[in-house]
Amino acid sequence: MTSIFAAQGDLALQVLVIDNASADGSAEMVREQFPQVQLQANKENRFYAAGNNQALEAATAPLKLLLNSDIRVPPEGLVALVEWMHRHPTAGGVAPRLVYPDGRLQTSCRSFPDPEVVLYEVLGLSRLWPQSKRFGKYRMTWWDYAEERAVEQPMASALLLRTEALEQVGLFDEAFPMFFNDVDLCLRLWEAGWPIWYTPVTTFVHHHGAATRQVRREMVAESGRSFLRFYRKHYRGKVPWLSYVGATTLLRIAYGVRRLMASLRS
């Protein structure tokens, strides 16, 4: 784990590892091989939001990097992101370009899932016309990721955040233990006037979904619950009633089908 940060220029780094009751010896490995790392080994799995909050509360730097355990950071990758944030003092956060281990681009940025987006996704219009800015709005499949731009919600798998912004809006909402906690945080940052950006100045490698694939049925169910919880928090009473009911109904149907398919595969 320290090797990830070994060639990061002159940055002074505070590295925190939250071990969510892993059973593969990860905590012991970190404790023995990387004594300079601040390890917090939980006795039970507190899940993504609470685990990240532990690290965010303990970290003291003006910039805080959320980094999943399945991310590989290139030499000088952190320097590039930190320098970017220094050049953009009004940004709440910035995310790097992500690729799969084989080098394929990962479409890591999305828009917020308003009712229009839900309609396009559930009806399959986004897959029929992925290059359309309208129908491909949610997953931003019309965009090639070659340009730097403000984005509504990049993956939090690798996301550098400004502490000042977090102090204003708060940390992850632990009512979203696994999914949509990053979407919720990004939305609160945007609403508070802290835009989130994507930059291709550095590329991180992401072994996407390696952990959640192991418990696919449970993750599909939790994702559906979190999506509906997100809708209740951010859209109920703020969008037309028919749009809200229509979107949540479509979500329930779509996640019901996904749970059934996951059960059949297993």
Side-chain angles (χ1 to χ4, degrees), residues 81-228:
L81 290 183
V82 168
E83 289 178 346
W84 189 97
M85 287 290 275
H86 287 328
R87 293 194 302 271
H88 300 80
T90 62
V94 65
R97 181 175 180 266
L98 296 181
V99 297
Y100 293 101
D102 62 5
R104 288 178 298 121
L105 174 71
Q106 193 169 119
T107 53
S108 56
C109 298
R110 298 186 179 185
S111 69
F112 293 127
D114 58 36
E116 180 185 32
V117 155
V118 170
L119 179 66
Y120 299 153
E121 288 293 315
V122 174
L123 296 184
L125 301 179
S126 61
R127 290 181 289 278
L128 287 173
W129 293 285
Q131 300 305 312
S132 165
K133 283 191 176 183
R134 180 176 182 180
F135 297 128
K137 175 183 175 183
Y138 181 48
R139 300 176 192 274
M140 299 181 69
T141 47
W142 51 270
W143 174 44
D144 64 5
Y145 285 75
E147 64 188 81
E148 187 172 280
R149 62 179 294 138
V151 293
E152 291 182 347
Q153 51 135 338
M155 282 184 185
S157 305
L159 180 61
L160 186 63
L161 295 167
R162 196 177 302 279
T163 299
E164 181 185 355
L166 290 174
E167 289 173 345
Q168 182 176 341
V169 306
L171 304 180
F172 284 110
D173 183 346
E174 295 180 19
F176 302 95
M178 279 295 295
F179 299 100
F180 287 88
N181 40 59
D182 52 343
V183 188
D184 171 77
L185 179 59
C186 286
L187 181 53
R188 287 187 281 122
L189 285 166
W190 271 101
E191 289 177 341
W194 292 101
I196 309 297
W197 284 74
Y198 159 88
T199 180
V201 297
T202 184
T203 299
F204 291 11
V205 177
H206 187 198
H207 297 261
H208 181 54
T212 56
R213 276 197 297 268
Q214 299 174 29
V215 284
R216 182 171 178 80
R217 281 182 298 175
E218 293 83 354
M219 291 299 97
V220 169
E222 179 57 35
S223 178
R225 287 191 292 268
S226 295
F227 207 152
L228 290 168

Side-chain angles (χ1 to χ4, degrees), residues 20 42 49 53 61 66 83 86 157 253:
N20 261 332
N42 294 331
N53 282 347
L66 299 176
E83 289 178 346
H86 287 328
S157 305
I253 294 171

